[in-house]
Amino acid sequence: MQVVFMGTPTFAVPTLQMLLASKCKVLAVVSQPDRPIGRKRVLQAPPVKQLAIQHAIPVLQPERLRKSAAEQELINLKPDLIVTAAYGQILSNELLAAPRYGAVNVHASLLPKYRGGAPIQHALINEELRTGITLLYMVEALDAGNIIVQQELEILPEDDSGSLHLKLSQLGAQMLNDLLPKLGDPNLESQPQIETLVTYAPNIKRADEKICWDDRPGRICGLVRALSPHPGAYTTWRGKVLKIWQASSIIYSHGKKTGEILKADLVDGLWVAAQNGVVQVTQLQLSGKTRMDVDVFIRGNNIKVGEQLGS
């Protein structure tokens, strides 16, 4: 089977690795353009491109694929199948019609919940207990095609965005590997999504990374998990950015203003008032400092009960 693969971040790497190890022939890889990374803004190739180069596979990186020379090049390849995993663009009907087995997307949610670019993060923010992988046929709309197969994955209390990305990327690759021999089978069924159950998971913006202490403790801790290991949920303390890397929620009646520090000691750690409860911070990072456990932070800073975070 001749395949065109489209993907960009580390989530897509296991799927491409699986295709390279299979009997498929990867004709080309399509990825987002190289982007500047880090404080020094060094131009860096996406992980999928890096893997493709290692295997001497042609890589296309149009800023916009639709109606581009790259799109026509892909159509001319006449692939048997297009596979996408976290690519980041909606494909045109002209391109979707090119492969005889269609285009299959590996999506990190149980559709129709969480269509969009950040399904893992939104599942954590919303305190979901389960997520999963959906393999679906692509259409010219955002994650809206017929569902071929789904598999659930339990979200563990210790999971964050990093651990779920790893688990789901590996699950998606395995599910696609199981599906490949069935493509073209007239008995292979797919089911349309129930539109009334659709929810969306848009990409996380900088403004979304700021902790709102008026939220419930569970939702604040969900945001912390969703933004770990990168870029980190943040608040402010004494005019400086303070990133929260690990936290847990506590049911506690306090009657204080949300964001107020209720405790700051080596026994109980750092307690911050939230809506109808408390967020117990266990790992954090002050701007310009390294990431540290809360007891180290408390020892090195004169934190006072009654101070306000996020003011």
Side-chain angles (χ1 to χ4, degrees):
M1 187 182 296
Q2 300 190 89
V3 179
V4 166
F5 180 76
M6 301 182 178
T8 300
T10 53
F11 175 85
V13 168
T15 300
L16 178 55
Q17 288 174 326
M18 181 278 295
L19 290 171
L20 293 170
S22 72
K23 295 180 180 180
C24 296
K25 180 180 180 181
V26 181
L27 301 175
V29 163
V30 186
S31 187
Q32 295 288 345
D34 298 359
R35 304 292 189 195
I37 302 295
R39 290 183 179 179
K40 296 184 178 180
R41 311 305 289 165
V42 177
L43 202 63
Q44 183 172 319
V48 164
K49 177 185 177 180
Q50 295 177 34
L51 178 60
I53 290 174
Q54 292 172 17
H55 291 266
I57 299 170
V59 179
L60 304 176
Q61 294 179 276
E63 190 72 47
R64 179 177 169 85
L65 181 59
R66 189 182 295 265
K67 295 183 179 180
S68 68
E71 181 185 60
Q72 189 58 52
E73 185 176 343
L74 296 173
I75 293 172
N76 293 342
L77 287 174
K78 298 181 180 179
D80 297 312
L81 177 70
I82 291 176
V83 173
T84 70
Y87 170 51
Q89 295 190 39
I90 295 174
L91 307 189
S92 69
N93 282 328
E94 290 79 8
L95 181 55
L96 292 172
R100 61 172 175 162
Y101 295 137
V104 174
N105 183 29
V106 181
H107 185 74
S109 81
L110 298 173
L111 291 171
K113 291 188 73 173
Y114 301 127
R115 292 180 182 177
I120 294 174
Q121 291 89 336
H122 284 272
L124 287 167
I125 291 170
N126 293 328
E127 305 172 73
E128 299 282 4
L129 300 178
R130 291 187 173 275
T131 183
I133 289 288
T134 300
L135 300 186
L136 67 152
Y137 287 118
M138 297 186 71
V139 295
E140 198 179 32
L142 181 64
D143 301 324
N146 280 13
I147 294 170
I148 306 169
V149 63
Q150 291 183 316
Q151 188 168 327
E152 288 188 354
L153 179 75
E154 182 182 2
I155 299 177
L156 303 176
E158 63 269 22
D159 274 325
D160 60 14
S161 183
S163 64
L164 280 184
H165 266 87
L166 179 60
K167 293 178 186 178
L168 289 169
S169 65
Q170 293 173 342
L171 176 61
Q174 182 58 55
M175 290 172 63
L176 182 65
N177 186 59
D178 295 340
L179 176 66
L180 287 176
K182 302 174 186 177
L183 291 172
D185 185 339
N187 295 318
L188 180 63
E189 296 183 352
S190 63
Q191 302 296 326
Q193 298 184 40
I194 302 173
E195 291 297 321
T196 55
L197 300 180
V198 170
T199 61
Y200 289 93
N203 290 328
I204 304 294
K205 300 177 181 178
R206 176 62 176 170
D208 302 324
E209 298 167 8
K210 186 174 182 180
I211 294 171
C212 174
W213 295 105
D214 289 337
D215 274 344
R216 294 178 292 100
R219 188 171 174 84
I220 293 172
C221 294
L223 179 67
V224 170
R225 295 164 69 194
L227 301 181
S228 177
H230 180 79
Y234 76 94
T235 186
T236 54
W237 176 63
R238 297 179 183 174
K240 294 184 178 181
V241 171
L242 182 67
K243 289 194 175 185
I244 308 297
W245 291 111
Q246 290 181 6
S248 56
S249 60
I250 298 175
I251 299 173
Y252 182 80
S253 180
H254 51 74
K256 300 291 185 178
K257 183 180 179 181
T258 56
E260 184 175 326
I261 296 176
L262 304 180
K263 292 185 181 181
D265 58 60
L266 299 180
V267 177
D268 293 320
L270 187 65
W271 285 29
V272 185
Q275 183 189 105
N276 300 323
V278 166
V279 173
Q280 184 179 31
V281 178
T282 53
Q283 197 173 82
L284 67 176
Q285 181 180 8
L286 191 62
S287 179
K289 304 292 183 179
T290 59
R291 183 169 170 171
M292 63 187 71
D293 291 336
V294 69
D295 60 331
V296 178
F297 182 80
I298 290 173
R299 284 191 183 99
N301 294 276
N302 183 25
I303 305 171
K304 298 177 181 178
V305 171
E307 284 190 273
Q308 188 74 25
L309 296 185
S311 58

